[in-house]
Amino acid sequence: PGFLLTMPLSPASWDLTDITSNSQEKAFKEIERYVAAFEKERHSLTRTIAPTKFLSLVQQLESLVAKTATLGAYAELRFAEDSSHQQAQAFRSRVETFLSTMNTKLLFFDLWFKALPDVKAQELIAASGAYAYHFQHLRKFRKYALQENEEKIIQLKDVTGVSALCTVYETLTSQFRYRLDGKELTQEELLRKVRSPSSALRKEAYSLLLSTY
């Protein structure tokens, strides 16, 4: 809606006071426990698994994903608040590495499902209810699946590869400053002008933004 574009915006800090260092450490340990418990279910992933057992495992995995998403979101919020803050950078890096490690330990589940015969896969998809679309989508990539060890290498390299480069880029660009209408703006503030109802202002903001590169 047009009125949203003209609403005044004021800088604000994320309120993360409810999340303490103790609760962060607790989250790391809790996720590790959930992952370890799920790994113990690996033996039950056979071609004859009952749909009820399969659904139970999916629900366990969903609970785990909710916990990892919460920790990841907190790290991103801290980083977004001030991407030049060294503690925020270090914590985000720690969380990314930790979650990547946890994800590599769970790769076996997706790989097992991709390798199932079509008949069994369709049986489980039909019984999966709200999760059906996820598993239908997963099956589309079964012919591209690699061996587990190879998939683990790809998973781990992403943390020191493209993800690391993105962090460097975000850290650098967050320090950019622009002069517009006599005011100094951050890149985030300038991007708001890019969405202005005024075409002249949008053009000026885009030109200023791109001139940095």
Side-chain angles (χ1 to χ4, degrees):
F3 75 90
L4 290 178
L5 297 173
T6 57
M7 288 178 64
L9 298 173
S10 57
S13 298
W14 300 110
D15 183 6
L16 305 176
T17 53
D18 290 337
I19 307 177
T20 65
S21 58
N22 288 335
S23 64
Q24 294 165 26
E25 294 306 317
K26 182 180 177 181
F28 282 108
K29 293 176 181 178
E30 189 174 23
I31 290 169
E32 286 180 327
R33 287 197 301 270
Y34 267 69
V35 170
F38 194 83
E39 284 183 292
K40 292 179 180 178
E41 296 288 351
R42 185 167 185 161
H43 70 279
S44 64
L45 299 178
T46 66
R47 294 189 175 191
T48 58
I49 188 172
T52 51
K53 177 64 176 178
F54 172 72
L55 188 57
S56 173
L57 293 176
V58 171
Q59 290 168 342
Q60 287 183 46
L61 196 57
E62 182 182 40
S63 297
L64 175 57
V65 169
K67 295 179 183 302
T68 60
T70 300
L71 180 62
Y74 171 69
E76 291 297 333
L77 285 173
R78 282 191 61 184
F79 181 75
E81 185 178 31
D82 182 0
S83 59
S84 65
H85 195 284
Q86 291 188 351
Q87 287 185 339
Q89 291 178 22
F91 184 74
R92 186 199 196 198
S93 178
R94 179 190 174 194
V95 169
E96 285 183 342
T97 301
F98 173 75
L99 294 183
S100 179
T101 301
M102 294 299 101
N103 286 335
T104 60
K105 294 184 176 184
L106 301 174
L107 279 172
F108 67 86
F109 183 79
D110 282 0
L111 293 175
W112 163 78
F113 187 80
K114 289 176 183 178
L116 284 174
D118 285 337
V119 173
K120 184 62 179 179
Q122 292 306 316
E123 177 193 357
L124 297 177
I125 289 173
S128 63
Y131 310 104
Y133 176 77
H134 169 75
F135 290 105
Q136 289 170 349
H137 185 70
L138 197 60
R139 289 287 291 180
K140 293 179 180 180
F141 297 93
R142 62 187 184 277
K143 65 180 180 180
Y144 306 111
L146 303 176
Q147 295 299 312
E148 186 173 348
N149 285 338
E150 295 167 333
E151 293 283 1
K152 285 182 177 180
I153 291 172
I154 293 173
Q155 179 89 28
L156 292 172
K157 80 168 181 59
D158 285 345
V159 176
T160 54
V162 64
S163 179
L165 289 175
C166 287
T167 298
V168 172
Y169 173 82
E170 290 169 359
T171 302
L172 289 174
T173 57
S174 69
Q175 304 306 306
F176 290 171
R177 295 295 181 268
Y178 307 86
R179 298 293 300 183
L180 182 65
D181 294 334
K183 296 181 180 179
E184 183 177 83
L185 304 176
T186 64
Q187 187 176 86
E188 185 64 29
E189 290 170 329
L190 183 63
L191 284 171
R192 295 173 190 163
K193 307 296 184 182
V194 167
R195 302 177 180 87
S196 168
S198 168
S199 60
L201 182 55
R202 290 198 304 270
K203 180 180 179 180
E204 186 177 4
Y206 263 123
S207 298
L208 192 57
L209 177 65
L210 298 177
S211 66
T212 309
Y213 302 92

